[in-house]
Amino acid sequence: MPVLDRYIVRSIAATVLLVMTALLTLLALFLFINEQGWVGVGGYGNLQALRFVLFHLPTLMFQFLPVAVLIGSLLALGALARHGELTVFRAAGVSMARLGWSVFLAGLLAVPVGILAGEYLGPPLTRLARIHKAVERNGEISLAGRSGAWVRDGNLILRAAGASGGGGSGVEVFEIGAGNRLAGIGRGAITRELDEHQWELGNYAWSRFTSEQVGFGLDAAHRLQTRVSPAFFSLIVADPGDLSLRELWRTRRYLEANGQDALAYRFSFWSGIARLFAIPLAALLALPVVCGSRRLQETGARATLGLVLGLAWFILQRVVESGTIALGLQPMLLAWLPTALLLAAIALLFARLRIRRPRAAINAA
């Protein structure tokens, strides 16, 4: 890696790390305060709330990584501009495009961090936090290691299962007969809540055991009547935003193959892809902003601008998500909308920068 790239990447990476630490600290504090409403319910205390917050940090890092990269890049490049280093680079013949590549490379190196946090660390830890929270709040639910959460309701034993049929999360139902003998077993994906104490399971595969034979079948829909707390089913019906891209892809295909609505999963999948692409673009946005404005000399001004731009991008993404799901719009195109607007802003700012440079040279002459 050339010396210029190493210098700019090191400057941006150090600042992004500090910004990400500060953001995660604030987000963790807000989440911990929000969890105080559950403290004291069952066996859920402050230590359990703290563990819940810590397990959510990788997911929060993935969601706010573009914001941290934008703020960190603004601060790092602003410091270089304040000390005249960007001016030295330009006087030495380094073009704006070459500087842009160095800044883009710094953002590109943050993408593996986002993949690690959002694809491999965040989803299992978030799922584990949700399970532990439900178990500690409800004494009727028990946790049996890797085999998941179990609960008994009369002659039924339910287990929160993982992927059902290669896609949707589901529940396994064990029916206990006379003499505590296993009378039947079934498995299906949670479709919806029908009424109080009633749930619908889709693609319900079942087996019945008698003294003479074993019967089996597959029902498109099965009505499960149980008085189990809804907290148990909250372990099964995961928020699409808490799933990895691989899980979202498998769940989407499973739901669509069975004629079920997969709009939220399709949007979350493409939104996750777009967020990864937005990370290096967020870094690149900082260069024309810093070079095109002399008002960003103070560190506070740059941090404020970065925070405003980052939060605006994050809020836009949330608004688009809500609108897409509520109105049933095209998820792929709208999931890319915030990132596309970010790219358009970068192109516009660089174009204005190229126009202003010749005018400045003419005025100087």
Side-chain angles (χ1 to χ4, degrees), residues 32-353:
F32 183 76
I33 294 174
N34 184 66
E35 286 300 300
Q36 294 305 300
W38 294 108
V39 170
V41 178
Y44 193 72
N46 282 313
L47 288 179
Q48 289 74 21
L50 181 60
R51 181 179 61 188
F52 181 85
V53 170
L54 293 177
F55 282 5
H56 272 80
L57 289 183
T59 298
L60 293 174
M61 176 185 291
F62 176 63
Q63 293 176 348
F64 284 88
L65 187 56
V67 179
V69 168
L70 175 58
I71 299 175
S73 300
L74 280 172
L75 292 176
L77 293 177
L80 295 179
R82 188 175 68 253
H83 297 145
E85 293 173 89
L86 289 183
T87 304
V88 172
F89 294 153
R90 297 287 285 135
V94 179
S95 65
M96 188 61 66
R98 182 65 182 83
L99 285 175
W101 165 249
S102 299
V103 174
F104 184 82
L105 181 61
L108 201 62
L109 293 178
V111 173
V113 178
I115 294 175
L116 178 65
E119 188 73 7
Y120 296 100
L121 295 179
L125 287 177
T126 301
R127 190 178 303 117
L128 191 60
R130 192 172 65 248
I131 290 175
H132 278 288
K133 181 178 180 179
V135 170
E136 285 149 359
R137 284 171 45 204
N138 300 269
E140 62 182 9
I141 302 176
S142 62
L143 189 63
R146 293 186 177 182
S147 60
W150 297 74
V151 64
R152 180 161 186 170
D153 178 28
N155 65 330
L156 296 180
I157 298 178
L158 308 180
R159 183 178 81 88
S164 176
S169 299
V171 59
E172 289 183 349
V173 182
F174 300 87
E175 184 179 350
I176 307 300
N180 287 328
R181 298 176 63 90
L182 185 63
I185 184 174
R187 176 171 177 150
I190 291 290
T191 303
R192 58 196 172 103
E193 185 177 6
L194 296 174
D195 201 352
E196 187 176 7
H197 307 310
Q198 291 189 12
W199 298 77
E200 183 179 88
L201 305 181
N203 289 329
Y204 186 73
W206 55 270
S207 299
R208 298 284 300 177
F209 309 113
T210 65
S211 58
E212 300 179 353
Q213 63 180 359
V214 176
F216 59 90
L218 179 64
D219 298 335
H222 174 78
R223 184 185 295 264
L224 175 66
Q225 187 163 356
T226 176
R227 299 185 65 85
V228 170
S229 168
F232 175 78
F233 293 96
S234 70
L235 306 178
I236 304 167
V237 185
D239 188 288
D242 294 336
L243 301 178
S244 68
L245 295 177
R246 294 168 299 165
E247 292 169 330
L248 287 169
W249 179 259
R250 289 196 300 264
T251 304
R252 182 193 68 84
R253 293 187 60 184
Y254 172 79
L255 294 175
E256 290 178 347
N258 292 278
Q260 301 178 35
D261 183 23
L263 180 61
Y265 295 91
R266 290 172 59 194
F267 184 89
S268 294
F269 175 79
W270 290 115
S271 179
I273 297 292
R275 186 180 289 113
L276 292 175
F277 276 85
I279 294 173
L281 293 179
L284 186 58
L285 177 65
L287 182 60
V289 170
V290 170
C291 294
S293 177
R294 297 181 179 179
R295 299 178 180 178
L296 297 178
Q297 297 297 320
E298 297 296 331
T299 302
R302 294 192 301 271
T304 302
L305 177 63
L307 186 60
V308 169
L309 292 176
L311 289 180
W313 181 86
F314 182 79
I315 293 173
L316 176 62
Q317 192 175 47
R318 293 295 186 181
V319 171
V320 170
E321 177 181 4
S322 301
T324 300
I325 296 174
L327 301 177
L329 303 176
Q330 173 55 250
M332 180 178 177
L333 294 178
L334 290 176
W336 282 92
L337 179 61
T339 304
L341 292 177
L342 181 61
L343 182 60
I346 293 172
L348 178 62
L349 290 173
F350 269 107
R352 289 186 61 187
L353 206 57

